[in-house]
Amino acid sequence: MLERWQSDDAYDVRRAQRADGPLAAFNAAGILTSADVHIARRICDIVRETDPDVLLALALTVRSVRHGSVCLRLDELDRDPDLPWPELDGWTAKVAGSAIVGSGAVTVVDGAIYLERFHREETQVRDDLWRRLDAPPPVVGDLTAAAERLFPVGYDEQRAAAMAAAGQWTTVLTGGPGTGKTTTVAGLLALLLSDNPELRIGLAAPTGKAAARLQESIDQARTRLAPEDAARIEGLTASTLHRLLGREPGHTTRFRHHRKNTLPHDVVVVDETSMVSLSMMASLIGAVRTDARLILVGDPAQLASVEAGAVLADLVEGLEVRAPGAVAALTTTHRFGGEIGALADAVRRGDVDAAMDVLRSGTNVRLLDSDARTTVASVRRDLTRHALSVRRDALTGDASATAAVADEHRLLCAHRDGPYGAAHWNRQVERWLAEETGEPIGSGWGREWYAGRPVLVTTNDYGLGLFNGDTGVVVARDDALAVRVGEREFAPSRLMDVETVHAMTVHKSQGGQASRITVLLPDVESPLLTRELLYTAITRAEESVTIVAPAGAVEAAITRPVRRASGLAQRLGAR
């Protein structure tokens, strides 16, 4: 079913006030927004295309990109009989023969309609990967002894993955949380450096928070290695993908490193690849030398990028056809207790009965009916207790202890706005905190900064060295406040783009962990209620998970996998 927006406001910005014909009908039905309509009309005006069927197809293609797809197949749309749909037979052919294709603005390939930019990027990713797969493999010495030392008995799965990655230029390392992906990466890097100590290594992740998590995991993995192996990977530093590629000032998609000025690294490792969009993947692969190892690490069952594409899942599907050895899957979970692991596995597989059995019988995982009065009291008690603990440590000025307590619990929401949204629940926690402390926390001008406020950086600030996804907490400093992010502190006035994260969206939680997770699911009709969202939320937890929702919402989420239209998997595995 096509996702629709709803509003009673006649002047809602999503309404296309001057639309006519089919565009007006689809806009009024909440399928198209004004942006979809105006972009399609502008392109058609430029190329002098007047066919209303072509105009509608283009607007629907723009819409599909906005919802995360790379392309659109007209024959896969759910056709509401109350809307003025064109005849399906010949509709795609009509688009293929139209002026929008002739002008180069749109491409039709194998029945899929692409905006030209995304077709070009998808083609670049395919061609660059084919080129890497066809290159002669790297020459390495006998790594058997080193691999057995780095991955002793019991780590056979990780050893096999590391040995495979050592002998090829491109590896996609997959696995759920706790399967040892980062441990495998750390051992692999030590393995490669034992063969060639001069290798230049780049570590990156899509966001600052994910990069910090990667750095922390690599540092932890070092402690489990023999001293000589730990020394080899000492000093490796993870950064964001934007920083690795070198963002050009004033541009969000133009980088200093590209196919004509490639990265200097001999090995590039990217963690949390499920969060990487098609556009970023095209930039990344184009900037990595053909004779440099590229290791893409992630969990294809998690939420995909907020931008267009489901690249990791596409790479796994396509490479398993084209070059099965390029995909190394870790399947044994080491992090979770049995219940969290069992719940995550059931959700990933789409097994409603198994998931509900775990939720009904578990002690570290539980389901609270959001409609029950006792649930509201329980959620308020847990959230308030945690917020008070963070504030108490923040007032002492102990930044390390405050950060540790802040990471003990997180409320995750599907939405940003509305009654199930993170913004609403952040305000709610601040009201409860104010009631408990008797202080006007979070209310009124200048009161948004207070000791114990957990914050999330929402844009890259290259001057301060802060990046989208970095998290911090506000602590007391004599008569002032400071924001502790990692090991550095900043005056609140220096941070322009931050938001409070007593609660945060599931999307923004990716790349992070908390001891305890509470998941607030939206109404069963919400289009954001999907299997990937629930799986991602559950797997942020290290010790316990509480899902606040009616049972029907959980069941609906498990049965709704995200569907993003893309041709990458098929095109990658085509030869």
Side-chain angles (χ1 to χ4, degrees):
M1 182 174 64
L2 287 172
E3 176 186 336
R4 304 188 186 210
W5 57 269
Q6 296 178 339
S7 175
D8 295 328
D9 183 358
Y11 297 98
D12 191 298
V13 295
R14 293 170 292 186
R15 296 191 185 280
Q17 301 293 341
R18 297 182 180 180
D20 54 16
L23 292 182
F26 279 75
N27 177 243
I31 293 175
L32 298 177
T33 66
S34 57
D36 303 328
V37 171
H38 295 323
I39 292 172
R41 289 178 63 173
R42 181 58 178 157
I43 292 174
C44 286
D45 285 347
I46 291 172
V47 302
R48 299 181 180 177
E49 176 59 62
T50 59
D51 190 316
D53 293 351
V54 173
L55 192 59
L56 177 61
L58 179 54
L60 290 169
T61 302
V62 174
R63 175 196 180 277
S64 72
V65 170
R66 183 167 52 80
H67 283 268
S69 290
V70 173
C71 57
L72 173 69
R73 295 182 182 275
L74 297 175
D75 58 357
E76 294 181 355
L77 292 172
D78 296 318
R79 295 166 65 94
D80 185 336
D82 294 330
L83 290 172
W85 292 95
E87 289 293 330
L88 185 58
D89 290 343
W91 190 10
T92 301
K94 183 182 291 188
V95 175
S98 70
I100 62 172
V101 172
S103 69
V106 172
T107 299
V108 179
V109 178
D110 297 329
I113 304 172
Y114 289 83
L115 299 181
E116 176 54 31
R117 167 193 164 188
F118 295 101
H119 176 257
R120 182 177 66 254
E121 290 172 343
E122 189 174 278
T123 302
Q124 288 174 353
V125 170
R126 180 202 64 183
D127 290 350
D128 285 340
L129 283 172
W130 276 357
R131 194 173 298 113
R132 295 180 60 82
L133 293 171
D134 290 342
V139 177
V140 294
D142 185 357
L143 302 177
T144 305
E148 290 178 350
R149 181 182 70 252
L150 288 160
F151 301 99
V153 175
Y155 292 86
D156 300 2
E157 200 173 53
Q158 287 87 347
R159 186 192 316 119
M163 289 292 283
Q168 57 196 15
W169 296 121
T170 304
T171 302
V172 178
L173 178 64
T174 70
T179 54
K181 295 190 297 295
T182 310
T183 300
T184 303
V185 168
L188 168 62
L189 297 179
L191 183 68
L192 294 173
L193 289 167
S194 71
D195 183 64
N196 181 0
E198 303 303 317
L199 289 176
R200 294 162 294 182
I201 295 172
L203 303 177
T207 67
K209 179 170 56 180
R213 183 70 182 177
L214 173 60
Q215 182 72 61
E216 178 185 334
S217 298
I218 291 289
D219 291 343
Q220 289 176 350
R222 284 184 60 249
T223 65
R224 296 189 288 270
L225 299 178
E228 66 271 23
D229 293 317
R232 291 189 176 100
I233 62 173
E234 187 175 7
L236 293 180
T237 303
S239 71
T240 63
L241 277 172
H242 284 81
R243 193 169 189 178
L244 176 76
L245 295 175
R247 184 185 67 94
E248 290 284 356
H251 297 276
T252 58
T253 58
R254 187 179 300 174
F255 300 99
R256 185 171 66 255
H257 292 289
H258 44 75
R259 65 184 63 252
K260 294 184 179 180
N261 180 32
T262 54
L263 289 163
H265 305 92
D266 303 300
V267 181
V268 174
V269 178
V270 179
D271 197 18
E272 297 290 351
T273 307
S274 65
M275 301 167 64
V276 178
S277 68
L278 175 63
S279 297
M280 178 58 81
M281 185 59 70
S283 296
L284 170 67
I285 297 180
V288 178
R289 302 193 324 267
T290 307
D291 62 343
R293 288 181 180 84
L294 175 62
I295 301 160
L296 303 173
V297 185
D299 183 353
Q302 286 189 22
L303 283 169
S305 167
V306 295
E307 301 176 40
V311 180
L312 180 60
D314 284 344
L315 293 184
V316 171
E317 182 181 346
L319 289 174
E320 284 180 340
V321 174
R322 175 66 175 79
V327 180
L330 303 178
T331 59
T332 304
T333 301
H334 303 282
R335 176 194 301 164
F336 297 129
E339 292 174 355
I340 298 177
L343 178 60
D345 183 61
V347 172
R348 180 185 57 79
R349 292 184 288 106
D351 190 332
V352 173
D353 292 338
M356 298 308 295
D357 285 345
V358 175
L359 284 170
R360 292 189 186 102
S361 60
T363 55
N364 294 324
V365 297
R366 58 176 181 159
L367 174 63
L368 299 181
D369 188 344
S370 56
D371 295 330
R373 184 172 300 176
T374 54
T375 296
V376 176
S378 176
V379 171
R380 173 173 180 167
R381 182 175 60 253
D382 289 347
L383 295 178
T384 305
R385 181 185 299 141
H386 178 252
L388 286 169
S389 296
V390 176
R391 179 169 171 79
R392 181 172 55 250
D393 282 350
L395 288 171
T396 69
D398 189 336
S400 297
T402 305
V405 173
D407 286 340
E408 287 180 358
H409 180 266
R410 192 74 72 194
L411 173 64
L412 302 183
C413 305
H415 294 260
R416 173 181 172 81
D417 301 310
Y420 299 101
H424 166 81
W425 283 90
N426 276 314
R427 292 191 297 269
Q428 185 64 69
V429 172
E430 288 180 335
R431 281 194 291 267
W432 291 335
L433 196 54
E435 290 175 10
E436 292 291 332
T437 63
E439 300 179 31
I441 291 172
S443 61
W445 183 85
R447 301 291 178 86
E448 70 272 18
W449 292 104
Y450 55 88
R453 180 192 181 192
V455 296
L456 176 76
V457 178
T458 57
T459 59
N460 295 332
D461 188 327
Y462 292 88
L464 295 180
L466 295 175
F467 299 93
N468 180 21
D470 285 344
T471 55
V473 66
V474 181
V475 295
R477 286 288 177 264
D478 297 325
D479 294 329
L481 296 173
V483 185
R484 180 68 169 256
V485 182
E487 297 300 319
R488 297 184 298 158
E489 294 188 2
F490 304 88
S493 59
R494 300 185 69 191
L495 305 184
M496 301 302 294
D497 295 302
V498 298
E499 60 185 40
T500 305
V501 284
H502 292 294
M504 66 193 310
T505 63
V506 177
H507 257 295
K508 291 184 177 180
S509 75
Q510 284 183 273
Q513 299 289 325
S515 299
R516 298 176 291 112
I517 290 291
T518 299
V519 187
L520 178 63
L521 294 184
D523 185 86
V524 70
E525 299 299 325
S526 170
L528 295 183
L529 190 63
T530 65
R531 180 184 303 170
E532 288 78 3
L533 177 127
L534 181 56
Y535 174 85
T536 301
I538 291 168
T539 55
R540 299 311 91 202
E542 296 175 324
E543 296 177 5
S544 68
V545 175
T546 299
I547 299 175
V548 181
V554 177
E555 294 170 356
I558 296 172
T559 57
R560 292 179 188 167
V562 172
R563 291 183 175 89
R564 289 190 170 189
S566 166
L568 181 58
Q570 180 181 0
R571 299 176 73 195
L572 182 58
R575 68 167 201 179

